[in-house]
PDB file of all heavy atoms in Angstrom:
ATOM      1  N   ILE Y 213       2.375  18.240  16.138  1.00 90.00           N
ATOM      2  CA  ILE Y 213       1.898  19.314  15.113  1.00 90.00           C
ATOM      3  C   ILE Y 213       1.977  18.824  13.690  1.00 90.00           C
ATOM      4  O   ILE Y 213       3.172  18.423  13.230  1.00 90.00           O
ATOM      5  CB  ILE Y 213       2.570  20.643  15.314  1.00 90.00           C
ATOM      6  CG1 ILE Y 213       2.554  21.031  16.837  1.00 90.00           C
ATOM      7  CG2 ILE Y 213       1.994  21.657  14.422  1.00 90.00           C
ATOM      8  CD1 ILE Y 213       1.231  21.279  17.337  1.00 90.00           C
ATOM      9  N   LYS Y 214       0.982  18.856  13.036  1.00 87.00           N
ATOM     10  CA  LYS Y 214       0.921  18.389  11.525  1.00 87.00           C
ATOM     11  C   LYS Y 214       1.725  19.453  10.812  1.00 87.00           C
ATOM     12  O   LYS Y 214       1.501  20.722  10.858  1.00 87.00           O
ATOM     13  CB  LYS Y 214      -0.555  18.258  11.056  1.00 87.00           C
ATOM     14  CG  LYS Y 214      -0.688  17.901   9.641  1.00 87.00           C
ATOM     15  CD  LYS Y 214      -2.157  17.893   9.289  1.00 87.00           C
ATOM     16  CE  LYS Y 214      -2.380  17.535   7.902  1.00 87.00           C
ATOM     17  NZ  LYS Y 214      -3.829  17.450   7.556  1.00 87.00           N
ATOM     18  N   LYS Y 215       2.578  19.096   9.946  1.00 83.00           N
ATOM     19  CA  LYS Y 215       3.367  19.879   8.979  1.00 83.00           C
ATOM     20  C   LYS Y 215       2.379  20.481   8.010  1.00 83.00           C
ATOM     21  O   LYS Y 215       1.471  19.885   7.485  1.00 83.00           O
ATOM     22  CB  LYS Y 215       4.385  19.158   8.418  1.00 83.00           C
ATOM     23  CG  LYS Y 215       5.434  18.541   9.267  1.00 83.00           C
ATOM     24  CD  LYS Y 215       6.534  17.753   8.570  1.00 83.00           C
ATOM     25  CE  LYS Y 215       7.522  17.190   9.496  1.00 83.00           C
ATOM     26  NZ  LYS Y 215       8.558  16.446   8.810  1.00 83.00           N
ATOM     27  N   TYR Y 216       2.713  21.797   7.587  1.00 80.00           N
ATOM     28  CA  TYR Y 216       1.747  22.506   6.759  1.00 80.00           C
ATOM     29  C   TYR Y 216       1.824  21.896   5.294  1.00 80.00           C
ATOM     30  O   TYR Y 216       0.847  21.973   4.538  1.00 80.00           O
ATOM     31  CB  TYR Y 216       2.287  23.999   6.662  1.00 80.00           C
ATOM     32  CG  TYR Y 216       1.647  24.818   7.796  1.00 80.00           C
ATOM     33  CD1 TYR Y 216       2.514  25.153   8.852  1.00 80.00           C
ATOM     34  CD2 TYR Y 216       0.343  25.076   7.968  1.00 80.00           C
ATOM     35  CE1 TYR Y 216       2.154  25.918   9.946  1.00 80.00           C
ATOM     36  CE2 TYR Y 216      -0.080  25.864   8.952  1.00 80.00           C
ATOM     37  CZ  TYR Y 216       0.685  26.260  10.012  1.00 80.00           C
ATOM     38  OH  TYR Y 216       0.254  26.944  11.124  1.00 80.00           O
ATOM     39  N   GLU Y 217       3.016  21.198   4.895  1.00 76.00           N
ATOM     40  CA  GLU Y 217       3.008  20.715   3.614  1.00 76.00           C
ATOM     41  C   GLU Y 217       2.143  19.444   3.391  1.00 76.00           C
ATOM     42  O   GLU Y 217       1.854  18.950   2.334  1.00 76.00           O
ATOM     43  CB  GLU Y 217       4.463  20.256   3.250  1.00 76.00           C
ATOM     44  CG  GLU Y 217       5.141  19.395   4.162  1.00 76.00           C
ATOM     45  CD  GLU Y 217       5.927  20.161   5.249  1.00 76.00           C
ATOM     46  OE1 GLU Y 217       5.600  21.337   5.514  1.00 76.00           O
ATOM     47  OE2 GLU Y 217       7.039  19.620   5.643  1.00 76.00           O
ATOM     48  N   LEU Y 218       1.529  18.934   4.604  1.00 78.00           N
ATOM     49  CA  LEU Y 218       0.687  17.844   4.600  1.00 78.00           C
ATOM     50  C   LEU Y 218      -0.685  18.396   4.838  1.00 78.00           C
ATOM     51  O   LEU Y 218      -1.714  17.508   5.222  1.00 78.00           O
ATOM     52  CB  LEU Y 218       1.030  16.849   5.703  1.00 78.00           C
ATOM     53  CG  LEU Y 218       2.501  16.175   5.522  1.00 78.00           C
ATOM     54  CD1 LEU Y 218       2.772  15.343   6.703  1.00 78.00           C
ATOM     55  CD2 LEU Y 218       2.502  15.387   4.247  1.00 78.00           C
ATOM     56  N   ALA Y 219      -1.002  19.544   4.685  1.00 73.00           N
ATOM     57  CA  ALA Y 219      -2.368  20.190   4.960  1.00 73.00           C
ATOM     58  C   ALA Y 219      -3.462  19.514   4.285  1.00 73.00           C
ATOM     59  O   ALA Y 219      -4.597  19.361   4.672  1.00 73.00           O
ATOM     60  CB  ALA Y 219      -2.293  21.610   4.642  1.00 73.00           C
ATOM     61  N   SER Y 220      -3.149  18.999   3.069  1.00 75.00           N
ATOM     62  CA  SER Y 220      -4.275  18.399   2.190  1.00 75.00           C
ATOM     63  C   SER Y 220      -4.441  16.886   2.517  1.00 75.00           C
ATOM     64  O   SER Y 220      -5.351  16.221   1.970  1.00 75.00           O
ATOM     65  CB  SER Y 220      -3.928  18.491   0.735  1.00 75.00           C
ATOM     66  OG  SER Y 220      -2.648  17.832   0.421  1.00 75.00           O
ATOM     67  N   GLN Y 221      -3.592  16.398   3.402  1.00 82.00           N
ATOM     68  CA  GLN Y 221      -3.678  14.924   3.855  1.00 82.00           C
ATOM     69  C   GLN Y 221      -4.492  14.817   5.112  1.00 82.00           C
ATOM     70  O   GLN Y 221      -4.382  15.468   6.039  1.00 82.00           O
ATOM     71  CB  GLN Y 221      -2.354  14.372   3.993  1.00 82.00           C
ATOM     72  CG  GLN Y 221      -1.410  14.510   2.833  1.00 82.00           C
ATOM     73  CD  GLN Y 221      -1.840  13.584   1.640  1.00 82.00           C
ATOM     74  OE1 GLN Y 221      -2.435  12.529   1.781  1.00 82.00           O
ATOM     75  NE2 GLN Y 221      -1.737  14.143   0.479  1.00 82.00           N
ATOM     76  N   SER Y 222      -5.311  13.784   5.089  1.00 83.00           N
ATOM     77  CA  SER Y 222      -6.038  13.419   6.394  1.00 83.00           C
ATOM     78  C   SER Y 222      -5.068  12.554   7.301  1.00 83.00           C
ATOM     79  O   SER Y 222      -4.748  11.448   6.904  1.00 83.00           O
ATOM     80  CB  SER Y 222      -7.273  12.559   6.002  1.00 83.00           C
ATOM     81  OG  SER Y 222      -8.057  12.300   7.171  1.00 83.00           O
ATOM     82  N   MET Y 223      -4.702  13.182   8.333  1.00 86.00           N
ATOM     83  CA  MET Y 223      -3.663  12.510   9.282  1.00 86.00           C
ATOM     84  C   MET Y 223      -4.288  12.006  10.549  1.00 86.00           C
ATOM     85  O   MET Y 223      -5.222  12.589  11.103  1.00 86.00           O
ATOM     86  CB  MET Y 223      -2.615  13.496   9.575  1.00 86.00           C
ATOM     87  CG  MET Y 223      -1.839  14.094   8.423  1.00 86.00           C
ATOM     88  SD  MET Y 223      -0.880  12.873   7.464  1.00 86.00           S
ATOM     89  CE  MET Y 223       0.313  12.324   8.652  1.00 86.00           C
ATOM     90  N   GLN Y 224      -3.764  10.870  10.947  1.00 90.00           N
ATOM     91  CA  GLN Y 224      -4.178  10.301  12.227  1.00 90.00           C
ATOM     92  C   GLN Y 224      -2.991  10.265  13.222  1.00 90.00           C
ATOM     93  O   GLN Y 224      -1.994   9.688  12.880  1.00 90.00           O
ATOM     94  CB  GLN Y 224      -4.669   8.854  12.026  1.00 90.00           C
ATOM     95  CG  GLN Y 224      -5.171   8.224  13.323  1.00 90.00           C
ATOM     96  CD  GLN Y 224      -5.971   6.986  12.999  1.00 90.00           C
ATOM     97  OE1 GLN Y 224      -7.006   6.868  12.456  1.00 90.00           O
ATOM     98  NE2 GLN Y 224      -5.207   5.853  13.444  1.00 90.00           N
ATOM     99  N   HIS Y 225      -3.031  11.067  14.249  1.00 93.00           N
ATOM    100  CA  HIS Y 225      -2.025  11.065  15.327  1.00 93.00           C
ATOM    101  C   HIS Y 225      -2.250   9.867  16.353  1.00 93.00           C
ATOM    102  O   HIS Y 225      -3.294   9.724  16.782  1.00 93.00           O
ATOM    103  CB  HIS Y 225      -1.986  12.323  16.050  1.00 93.00           C
ATOM    104  CG  HIS Y 225      -1.821  13.578  15.243  1.00 93.00           C
ATOM    105  ND1 HIS Y 225      -0.570  14.012  14.805  1.00 93.00           N
ATOM    106  CD2 HIS Y 225      -2.774  14.379  14.641  1.00 93.00           C
ATOM    107  CE1 HIS Y 225      -0.746  15.004  13.997  1.00 93.00           C
ATOM    108  NE2 HIS Y 225      -2.074  15.288  13.908  1.00 93.00           N
ATOM    109  N   GLU Y 226      -1.201   9.041  16.503  1.00 94.00           N
ATOM    110  CA  GLU Y 226      -1.364   7.995  17.372  1.00 94.00           C
ATOM    111  C   GLU Y 226      -0.317   7.931  18.558  1.00 94.00           C
ATOM    112  O   GLU Y 226       0.858   8.341  18.267  1.00 94.00           O
ATOM    113  CB  GLU Y 226      -1.091   6.619  16.672  1.00 94.00           C
ATOM    114  CG  GLU Y 226      -2.284   6.343  15.578  1.00 94.00           C
ATOM    115  CD  GLU Y 226      -1.952   5.028  14.827  1.00 94.00           C
ATOM    116  OE1 GLU Y 226      -0.885   4.662  14.641  1.00 94.00           O
ATOM    117  OE2 GLU Y 226      -3.002   4.478  14.341  1.00 94.00           O
ATOM    118  N   HIS Y 227      -0.752   7.683  19.713  1.00 96.00           N
ATOM    119  CA  HIS Y 227       0.074   7.551  20.807  1.00 96.00           C
ATOM    120  C   HIS Y 227      -0.044   6.150  21.418  1.00 96.00           C
ATOM    121  O   HIS Y 227      -1.183   5.698  21.661  1.00 96.00           O
ATOM    122  CB  HIS Y 227      -0.313   8.536  21.960  1.00 96.00           C
ATOM    123  CG  HIS Y 227      -0.200  10.020  21.486  1.00 96.00           C
ATOM    124  ND1 HIS Y 227       0.966  10.729  21.470  1.00 96.00           N
ATOM    125  CD2 HIS Y 227      -1.101  10.790  20.896  1.00 96.00           C
ATOM    126  CE1 HIS Y 227       0.805  12.044  21.050  1.00 96.00           C
ATOM    127  NE2 HIS Y 227      -0.385  12.036  20.640  1.00 96.00           N
ATOM    128  N   PHE Y 228       1.076   5.476  21.715  1.00 97.00           N
ATOM    129  CA  PHE Y 228       1.024   4.172  22.201  1.00 97.00           C
ATOM    130  C   PHE Y 228       1.552   4.195  23.678  1.00 97.00           C
ATOM    131  O   PHE Y 228       2.824   4.554  23.890  1.00 97.00           O
ATOM    132  CB  PHE Y 228       1.901   3.237  21.352  1.00 97.00           C
ATOM    133  CG  PHE Y 228       1.380   3.121  19.949  1.00 97.00           C
ATOM    134  CD1 PHE Y 228       1.894   3.956  18.967  1.00 97.00           C
ATOM    135  CD2 PHE Y 228       0.384   2.175  19.571  1.00 97.00           C
ATOM    136  CE1 PHE Y 228       1.504   3.867  17.608  1.00 97.00           C
ATOM    137  CE2 PHE Y 228      -0.063   2.203  18.305  1.00 97.00           C
ATOM    138  CZ  PHE Y 228       0.517   2.980  17.280  1.00 97.00           C
ATOM    139  N   ILE Y 229       0.759   4.007  24.599  1.00 97.00           N
ATOM    140  CA  ILE Y 229       1.074   4.200  25.996  1.00 97.00           C
ATOM    141  C   ILE Y 229       1.028   2.863  26.813  1.00 97.00           C
ATOM    142  O   ILE Y 229       0.161   2.097  26.717  1.00 97.00           O
ATOM    143  CB  ILE Y 229      -0.021   5.060  26.714  1.00 97.00           C
ATOM    144  CG1 ILE Y 229       0.005   6.429  25.953  1.00 97.00           C
ATOM    145  CG2 ILE Y 229       0.258   5.427  28.183  1.00 97.00           C
ATOM    146  CD1 ILE Y 229      -1.189   7.357  26.258  1.00 97.00           C
ATOM    147  N   ASN Y 230       2.138   2.695  27.464  1.00 96.00           N
ATOM    148  CA  ASN Y 230       2.324   1.480  28.332  1.00 96.00           C
ATOM    149  C   ASN Y 230       2.274   1.901  29.790  1.00 96.00           C
ATOM    150  O   ASN Y 230       3.125   2.636  30.246  1.00 96.00           O
ATOM    151  CB  ASN Y 230       3.727   0.759  28.037  1.00 96.00           C
ATOM    152  CG  ASN Y 230       3.767  -0.564  28.792  1.00 96.00           C
ATOM    153  OD1 ASN Y 230       2.748  -1.309  28.904  1.00 96.00           O
ATOM    154  ND2 ASN Y 230       4.971  -0.943  29.185  1.00 96.00           N
ATOM    155  N   ILE Y 231       1.225   1.435  30.567  1.00 96.00           N
ATOM    156  CA  ILE Y 231       0.983   2.005  31.860  1.00 96.00           C
ATOM    157  C   ILE Y 231       1.591   0.933  32.948  1.00 96.00           C
ATOM    158  O   ILE Y 231       1.242  -0.379  32.755  1.00 96.00           O
ATOM    159  CB  ILE Y 231      -0.535   2.109  32.083  1.00 96.00           C
ATOM    160  CG1 ILE Y 231      -1.104   3.082  31.049  1.00 96.00           C
ATOM    161  CG2 ILE Y 231      -0.888   2.674  33.406  1.00 96.00           C
ATOM    162  CD1 ILE Y 231      -2.665   2.979  30.979  1.00 96.00           C
ATOM    163  N   ILE Y 232       2.191   1.403  33.927  1.00 94.00           N
ATOM    164  CA  ILE Y 232       2.874   0.557  34.911  1.00 94.00           C
ATOM    165  C   ILE Y 232       2.291   0.948  36.302  1.00 94.00           C
ATOM    166  O   ILE Y 232       2.623   2.055  36.797  1.00 94.00           O
ATOM    167  CB  ILE Y 232       4.416   0.779  34.943  1.00 94.00           C
ATOM    168  CG1 ILE Y 232       4.865   0.586  33.506  1.00 94.00           C
ATOM    169  CG2 ILE Y 232       5.017  -0.189  35.879  1.00 94.00           C
ATOM    170  CD1 ILE Y 232       6.351   1.063  33.338  1.00 94.00           C
ATOM    171  N   PRO Y 233       1.529   0.128  36.917  1.00 94.00           N
ATOM    172  CA  PRO Y 233       1.033   0.390  38.338  1.00 94.00           C
ATOM    173  C   PRO Y 233       2.174   0.554  39.307  1.00 94.00           C
ATOM    174  O   PRO Y 233       3.117  -0.239  39.209  1.00 94.00           O
ATOM    175  CB  PRO Y 233       0.196  -0.990  38.566  1.00 94.00           C
ATOM    176  CG  PRO Y 233      -0.097  -1.634  37.306  1.00 94.00           C
ATOM    177  CD  PRO Y 233       0.897  -1.267  36.309  1.00 94.00           C
ATOM    178  N   THR Y 234       1.990   1.562  40.037  1.00 94.00           N
ATOM    179  CA  THR Y 234       3.272   1.897  41.008  1.00 94.00           C
ATOM    180  C   THR Y 234       2.636   2.204  42.308  1.00 94.00           C
ATOM    181  O   THR Y 234       1.562   3.083  42.478  1.00 94.00           O
ATOM    182  CB  THR Y 234       3.852   3.105  40.408  1.00 94.00           C
ATOM    183  OG1 THR Y 234       4.314   2.860  38.994  1.00 94.00           O
ATOM    184  CG2 THR Y 234       5.173   3.386  41.275  1.00 94.00           C
ATOM    185  N   HIS Y 235       3.348   1.787  43.396  1.00 94.00           N
ATOM    186  CA  HIS Y 235       2.974   2.105  44.783  1.00 94.00           C
ATOM    187  C   HIS Y 235       4.053   2.868  45.410  1.00 94.00           C
ATOM    188  O   HIS Y 235       5.288   2.501  45.277  1.00 94.00           O
ATOM    189  CB  HIS Y 235       2.692   0.851  45.512  1.00 94.00           C
ATOM    190  CG  HIS Y 235       1.628  -0.131  44.949  1.00 94.00           C
ATOM    191  ND1 HIS Y 235       0.376   0.359  44.766  1.00 94.00           N
ATOM    192  CD2 HIS Y 235       1.689  -1.406  44.559  1.00 94.00           C
ATOM    193  CE1 HIS Y 235      -0.351  -0.585  44.135  1.00 94.00           C
ATOM    194  NE2 HIS Y 235       0.436  -1.667  44.074  1.00 94.00           N
ATOM    195  N   TYR Y 236       3.858   3.871  46.116  1.00 95.00           N
ATOM    196  CA  TYR Y 236       4.655   4.722  46.752  1.00 95.00           C
ATOM    197  C   TYR Y 236       4.432   4.656  48.285  1.00 95.00           C
ATOM    198  O   TYR Y 236       3.196   5.056  48.659  1.00 95.00           O
ATOM    199  CB  TYR Y 236       4.695   6.190  46.401  1.00 95.00           C
ATOM    200  CG  TYR Y 236       5.237   6.382  44.977  1.00 95.00           C
ATOM    201  CD1 TYR Y 236       4.392   6.318  43.895  1.00 95.00           C
ATOM    202  CD2 TYR Y 236       6.458   6.768  44.703  1.00 95.00           C
ATOM    203  CE1 TYR Y 236       4.717   6.489  42.585  1.00 95.00           C
ATOM    204  CE2 TYR Y 236       6.920   7.073  43.422  1.00 95.00           C
ATOM    205  CZ  TYR Y 236       6.096   6.848  42.348  1.00 95.00           C
ATOM    206  OH  TYR Y 236       6.538   7.095  41.056  1.00 95.00           O
ATOM    207  N   THR Y 237       5.258   4.280  49.090  1.00 94.00           N
ATOM    208  CA  THR Y 237       5.095   4.082  50.613  1.00 94.00           C
ATOM    209  C   THR Y 237       6.017   5.105  51.418  1.00 94.00           C
ATOM    210  O   THR Y 237       7.254   5.084  51.127  1.00 94.00           O
ATOM    211  CB  THR Y 237       5.355   2.653  50.993  1.00 94.00           C
ATOM    212  OG1 THR Y 237       4.504   1.680  50.309  1.00 94.00           O
ATOM    213  CG2 THR Y 237       5.072   2.439  52.474  1.00 94.00           C
ATOM    214  N   LEU Y 238       5.384   5.795  52.280  1.00 93.00           N
ATOM    215  CA  LEU Y 238       6.123   6.729  53.092  1.00 93.00           C
ATOM    216  C   LEU Y 238       6.702   6.048  54.261  1.00 93.00           C
ATOM    217  O   LEU Y 238       6.460   4.865  54.584  1.00 93.00           O
ATOM    218  CB  LEU Y 238       5.178   7.864  53.534  1.00 93.00           C
ATOM    219  CG  LEU Y 238       4.419   8.619  52.450  1.00 93.00           C
ATOM    220  CD1 LEU Y 238       3.587   9.752  53.061  1.00 93.00           C
ATOM    221  CD2 LEU Y 238       5.341   9.129  51.351  1.00 93.00           C
ATOM    222  N   LEU Y 239       7.485   6.769  55.154  1.00 90.00           N
ATOM    223  CA  LEU Y 239       8.069   6.250  56.322  1.00 90.00           C
ATOM    224  C   LEU Y 239       6.997   5.794  57.303  1.00 90.00           C
ATOM    225  O   LEU Y 239       7.213   4.746  58.089  1.00 90.00           O
ATOM    226  CB  LEU Y 239       9.029   7.285  56.964  1.00 90.00           C
ATOM    227  CG  LEU Y 239      10.427   7.498  56.241  1.00 90.00           C
ATOM    228  CD1 LEU Y 239      11.146   8.752  56.966  1.00 90.00           C
ATOM    229  CD2 LEU Y 239      11.225   6.337  56.289  1.00 90.00           C
ATOM    230  N   ASN Y 240       5.917   6.441  57.376  1.00 90.00           N
ATOM    231  CA  ASN Y 240       4.830   6.164  58.221  1.00 90.00           C
ATOM    232  C   ASN Y 240       3.920   5.027  57.740  1.00 90.00           C
ATOM    233  O   ASN Y 240       2.849   4.694  58.281  1.00 90.00           O
ATOM    234  CB  ASN Y 240       4.026   7.306  58.586  1.00 90.00           C
ATOM    235  CG  ASN Y 240       3.375   7.894  57.309  1.00 90.00           C
ATOM    236  OD1 ASN Y 240       3.342   7.303  56.175  1.00 90.00           O
ATOM    237  ND2 ASN Y 240       2.672   9.142  57.396  1.00 90.00           N
ATOM    238  N   LYS Y 241       4.468   4.435  56.717  1.00 90.00           N
ATOM    239  CA  LYS Y 241       3.704   3.190  55.965  1.00 90.00           C
ATOM    240  C   LYS Y 241       2.472   3.571  55.186  1.00 90.00           C
ATOM    241  O   LYS Y 241       1.733   2.672  54.761  1.00 90.00           O
ATOM    242  CB  LYS Y 241       3.323   2.141  57.116  1.00 90.00           C
ATOM    243  CG  LYS Y 241       4.447   1.693  58.033  1.00 90.00           C
ATOM    244  CD  LYS Y 241       5.642   1.103  57.216  1.00 90.00           C
ATOM    245  CE  LYS Y 241       6.810   0.667  58.041  1.00 90.00           C
ATOM    246  NZ  LYS Y 241       7.976   0.160  57.165  1.00 90.00           N
ATOM    247  N   GLN Y 242       2.215   4.745  55.032  1.00 93.00           N
ATOM    248  CA  GLN Y 242       1.112   5.271  54.235  1.00 93.00           C
ATOM    249  C   GLN Y 242       1.488   4.987  52.691  1.00 93.00           C
ATOM    250  O   GLN Y 242       2.554   5.433  52.220  1.00 93.00           O
ATOM    251  CB  GLN Y 242       0.721   6.689  54.478  1.00 93.00           C
ATOM    252  CG  GLN Y 242      -0.592   7.178  53.719  1.00 93.00           C
ATOM    253  CD  GLN Y 242      -1.017   8.538  54.010  1.00 93.00           C
ATOM    254  OE1 GLN Y 242      -0.331   9.244  54.810  1.00 93.00           O
ATOM    255  NE2 GLN Y 242      -2.076   9.002  53.492  1.00 93.00           N
ATOM    256  N   THR Y 243       0.462   4.433  52.048  1.00 93.00           N
ATOM    257  CA  THR Y 243       0.852   4.013  50.528  1.00 93.00           C
ATOM    258  C   THR Y 243      -0.006   4.784  49.607  1.00 93.00           C
ATOM    259  O   THR Y 243      -1.303   4.836  49.866  1.00 93.00           O
ATOM    260  CB  THR Y 243       0.729   2.528  50.414  1.00 93.00           C
ATOM    261  OG1 THR Y 243       1.644   1.803  51.227  1.00 93.00           O
ATOM    262  CG2 THR Y 243       1.015   2.110  48.985  1.00 93.00           C
ATOM    263  N   TYR Y 244       0.537   5.337  48.440  1.00 94.00           N
ATOM    264  CA  TYR Y 244      -0.245   6.025  47.429  1.00 94.00           C
ATOM    265  C   TYR Y 244      -0.028   5.119  46.241  1.00 94.00           C
ATOM    266  O   TYR Y 244       1.029   4.806  45.818  1.00 94.00           O
ATOM    267  CB  TYR Y 244       0.381   7.325  47.235  1.00 94.00           C
ATOM    268  CG  TYR Y 244       0.057   8.309  48.344  1.00 94.00           C
ATOM    269  CD1 TYR Y 244       1.036   8.501  49.232  1.00 94.00           C
ATOM    270  CD2 TYR Y 244      -1.147   8.956  48.608  1.00 94.00           C
ATOM    271  CE1 TYR Y 244       0.886   9.358  50.358  1.00 94.00           C
ATOM    272  CE2 TYR Y 244      -1.348   9.863  49.638  1.00 94.00           C
ATOM    273  CZ  TYR Y 244      -0.231   9.937  50.528  1.00 94.00           C
ATOM    274  OH  TYR Y 244      -0.557  10.761  51.580  1.00 94.00           O
ATOM    275  N   SER Y 245      -1.208   4.736  45.581  1.00 92.00           N
ATOM    276  CA  SER Y 245      -1.151   3.891  44.408  1.00 92.00           C
ATOM    277  C   SER Y 245      -1.505   4.770  43.182  1.00 92.00           C
ATOM    278  O   SER Y 245      -2.668   5.220  43.050  1.00 92.00           O
ATOM    279  CB  SER Y 245      -2.122   2.809  44.498  1.00 92.00           C
ATOM    280  OG  SER Y 245      -1.707   1.885  45.571  1.00 92.00           O
TER     281      SER Y 245
END
Side-chain angles (χ1 to χ4, degrees):
I213 305 298
K214 180 180 176 181
K215 297 179 180 179
Y216 280 106
E217 56 265 30
L218 299 175
S220 61
Q221 302 293 324
S222 181
M223 301 296 294
Q224 182 171 289
H225 301 275
E226 295 180 330
H227 300 272
F228 301 93
I229 301 170
N230 189 33
I231 306 168
I232 308 165
T234 307
H235 304 305
Y236 292 85
T237 302
L238 306 182
L239 287 174
N240 60 7
K241 305 304 180 183
Q242 185 173 4
T243 299
Y244 296 95
S245 297

